[in-house]
């Protein structure tokens, strides 16, 4: 495969290169793309250096598949041009996720929704990916009625500027602010832009994308997105109301069978998922699994995953692998 990575110099683009290499994706030719200001810069892949080129130059090279993580406006402009040239695009930005004709995919959950004719496939938001990985088997078995989620999102979810602000604040330096307030020693109940109803764009993404991936409008969802001073991994506290009664053992057994999901739940040994033990891993981790006795068929979960890996790069590469394995390319 000729594989283009659009945004190859960025935070997620760099992890995409790493994951392509780790998974031994059959890359015959790597085509790294970034903005005009990075032309000629080098990126490393499998021990070799590759020069960064422009999106237009990349199209001339006729890539088979392009992984995009270069922001929504780049994606809106360039993804259709790559697609027109016969290249399958997997896009990590928010540009195409709400488009009715574009599939929003987490392979373990709804890989089957990909059709051969899909030329652009959207990669969901990081918080949505780890949420649906954990709730999919529960929804399939017990039909979720209502879901309340509070996130504890790391600064790498805001790109390099988020990491820079946290690190600068930790060593007392002034920095360009990625957030409207300090993030070190602080917690911001604010991710994305505020909308008219006082929810934020990130909260809206969680609602919309979860329903689209699970292919239902019938789940009530209420979300609060919070930014915390952690570099990598988003954590989520999730309260579920199920339509059917459940036996805890059976429910945990379904979670254990879900590919890509690891149950880490030994309260007696203080074992539960945390950013410190989930960073740089491709799996999603779930723990603190408890019945919520305040409602009928209620459940609490704590979900952690590396937002740059399963939340972005790994999921995109898995979609590419799925296309290959199912002869959709
Ligand atoms: P560059 O490094 O030249 O700015 P991040 O998500 O870490 O901010 O990274 C964004 C990525 O998207 C970077 O690789 C950036 O390249 C790339 N990018 C930004 N604008 C464009 C564009 N117009 N065309 C191609 N790549 C772009």
């Amino acid at each position: 495969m000729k594989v283009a990575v659009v945004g190859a110099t960025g935070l997620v683009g760099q992890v995409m290169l790493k994951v392509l290499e780790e998974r031994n994706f059959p890359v015959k030719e790597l085509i790294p793309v970034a903005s005009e200001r990075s032309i000629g810069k080098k990126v490393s892949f499998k021990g070799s250096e590759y020069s960064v080129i422009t999106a237009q130059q990349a199209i001339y090279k006729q890539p088979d598949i392009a992984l995009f993580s270069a922001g929504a406006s780049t994606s809106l402009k360039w993804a259709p041009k790559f697609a027109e040239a016969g290249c399958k695009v997997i896009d990590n930005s928010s540009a195409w996720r709400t488009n009715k004709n574009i599939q929003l995919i987490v392979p373990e959950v709804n890989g089957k929704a990909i059709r051969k004719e899909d030329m652009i496939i959207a990669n969901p938001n990081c918080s949505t990916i780890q949420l649906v990985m954990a709730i999919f088997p529960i929804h399939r078995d017990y039909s979720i009625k209502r879901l309340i989620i509070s996130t504890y999102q790391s600064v790498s979810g805001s790109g390099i500027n988020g990491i820079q602000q946290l690190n600068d604040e930790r060593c007392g330096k002034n920095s360009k602010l990625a957030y409207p307030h300090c993030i070190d020693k602080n917690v911001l109940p604010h991710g994305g832009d505020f909308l008219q109803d006082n929810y934020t764009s990130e909260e809206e993404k969680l609602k919309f994308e979860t329903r689209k991936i699970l292919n239902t409008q019938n789940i009530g969802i209420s979300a609060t997105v919070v930014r915390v001073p952690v570099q990598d991994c988003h954590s989520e506290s999730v309260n579920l109301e199920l339509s059917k009664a459940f036996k805890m053992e059976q429910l945990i057994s379904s979670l254990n069978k879900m590919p890509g999901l690891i149950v880490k739940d030994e309260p007696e040994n203080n074992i539960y998922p945390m950013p410190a033990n989930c960073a740089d891993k491709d799996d999603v981790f779930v723990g603190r699994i408890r019945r919520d006795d305040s409602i009928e068929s209620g459940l609490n979960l704590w979900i952690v995953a590396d937002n740059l890996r399963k939340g972005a790069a790994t999921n995109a590469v898995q979609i590419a692998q799925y296309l290959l394995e199912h002869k959709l390319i």
Side-chain angles (χ1 to χ4, degrees), residues 6-11 33-35 37-38 69-70 74 160:
V6 181
T9 53
L11 209 52
V33 177
S35 75
R37 60 188 167 268
S38 297
S69 192
T74 303
I160 198 76

Side-chain angles (χ1 to χ4, degrees), residues 287-311:
R288 302 298 325 278
I289 306 170
R290 290 150 292 154
R291 190 177 282 279
D292 173 7
D293 283 329
S294 70
I295 45 170
E296 218 180 302
S297 306
L299 181 73
N300 283 308
L301 304 174
W302 174 252
I303 306 164
V304 183
D306 188 319
N307 50 295
L308 298 179
R309 279 192 170 255
K310 184 58 181 169

Side-chain angles (χ1 to χ4, degrees), residues 270-287:
N270 299 333
I271 290 178
Y272 30 74
M274 296 179 289
N277 56 28
C278 300
D280 216 26
K281 307 243 165 79
D282 279 330
D283 293 308
V284 173
F285 297 83
V286 61

Side-chain angles (χ1 to χ4, degrees), residues 3-293:
V3 180
V5 174
V6 181
T9 53
L11 209 52
V12 173
Q14 285 286 304
V15 184
M16 282 171 165
L17 294 176
K18 201 162 137 186
V19 176
L20 283 168
E21 188 170 333
E22 284 170 3
R23 298 190 160 230
N24 216 7
F25 192 81
V27 181
K28 193 178 81 186
E29 183 181 346
L30 180 78
I31 307 171
V33 177
S35 75
E36 301 274 351
R37 60 188 167 268
S38 297
I39 303 316
K41 266 194 192 165
K42 305 269 192 237
V43 297
S44 319
F45 181 69
K46 288 198 171 174
S48 300
E49 302 257 277
Y50 292 80
S51 290
V52 168
I53 60 173
T54 63
Q56 187 58 60
Q57 287 167 332
I59 291 176
Y60 293 141
K61 287 181 171 270
Q62 297 189 303
D64 300 294
I65 196 155
L67 306 181
F68 270 62
S69 192
S73 56
T74 303
S75 187
L76 279 174
K77 177 172 174 193
W78 287 101
K81 297 186 183 181
F82 277 69
E84 266 167 41
C87 172
K88 295 273 187 184
V89 173
I90 299 164
D91 181 42
N92 188 49
S93 80
S94 59
W96 303 96
R97 293 179 192 150
T98 54
N99 186 314
K100 278 203 177 89
N101 301 318
I102 303 285
Q103 300 297 333
L104 184 63
I105 298 293
V106 176
E108 299 91 332
V109 175
N110 67 338
K112 285 193 182 127
I114 306 175
R115 303 154 299 194
K116 191 142 195 178
E117 65 268 25
D118 290 325
M119 293 307 289
I120 301 176
I121 296 167
N123 206 41
N125 177 263
C126 38
S127 305
T128 311
I129 292 178
Q130 65 185 74
L131 173 69
V132 297
M133 283 288 294
I135 67 171
F136 168 67
I138 300 174
H139 182 59
R140 181 196 58 212
D141 296 349
Y142 307 100
S143 180
I144 298 169
K145 218 194 261 186
R146 180 163 183 251
L147 183 167
I148 300 167
I149 175 165
S150 299
T151 69
Y152 302 66
Q153 295 185 205
S154 69
V155 294
S156 59
S158 316
I160 198 76
N161 294 340
I163 299 178
Q164 191 73 46
Q165 182 179 334
L166 177 64
N167 289 334
D168 283 350
E169 286 173 358
R170 283 187 174 162
C171 40
K173 270 202 254 165
N174 280 335
S175 82
K176 205 175 120 211
L177 292 186
Y179 306 111
H181 303 280
C182 68
I183 184 67
D184 188 29
K185 300 181 183 154
N186 204 6
V187 163
L188 308 182
H190 177 185
D193 302 318
F194 280 104
L195 307 173
Q196 274 188 340
D197 58 5
N198 289 342
Y199 281 88
T200 70
S201 49
E202 294 293 301
E203 290 161 353
E204 191 48 43
K205 281 179 196 169
L206 260 169
K207 281 162 69 170
F208 177 88
E209 294 181 19
T210 300
R211 290 181 180 136
K212 181 163 175 173
I213 295 164
L214 296 180
N215 194 23
T216 175
Q217 292 305 312
N218 298 334
I219 304 181
I221 304 180
S222 190
T224 303
V225 163
V226 179
R227 191 75 61 185
V228 294
V230 164
Q231 183 166 313
D232 296 307
C233 286
H234 293 347
S235 306
E236 298 177 341
S237 167
V238 178
N239 179 262
L240 298 170
E241 184 176 358
L242 310 181
S243 303
K244 296 180 196 161
F246 66 92
K247 291 215 167 70
M248 191 57 101
E249 246 174 56
Q250 279 169 7
L251 186 140
I252 292 175
S253 151
S254 298
L255 293 175
N256 271 317
K257 286 185 195 134
M258 174 73 187
L261 183 72
I262 309 259
V263 176
K264 203 176 178 74
D265 197 21
E266 294 174 43
E268 63 285 10
N269 298 317
N270 299 333
I271 290 178
Y272 30 74
M274 296 179 289
N277 56 28
C278 300
D280 216 26
K281 307 243 165 79
D282 279 330
D283 293 308
V284 173
F285 297 83
V286 61
R288 302 298 325 278
I289 306 170
R290 290 150 292 154
R291 190 177 282 279
D292 173 7
D293 283 329

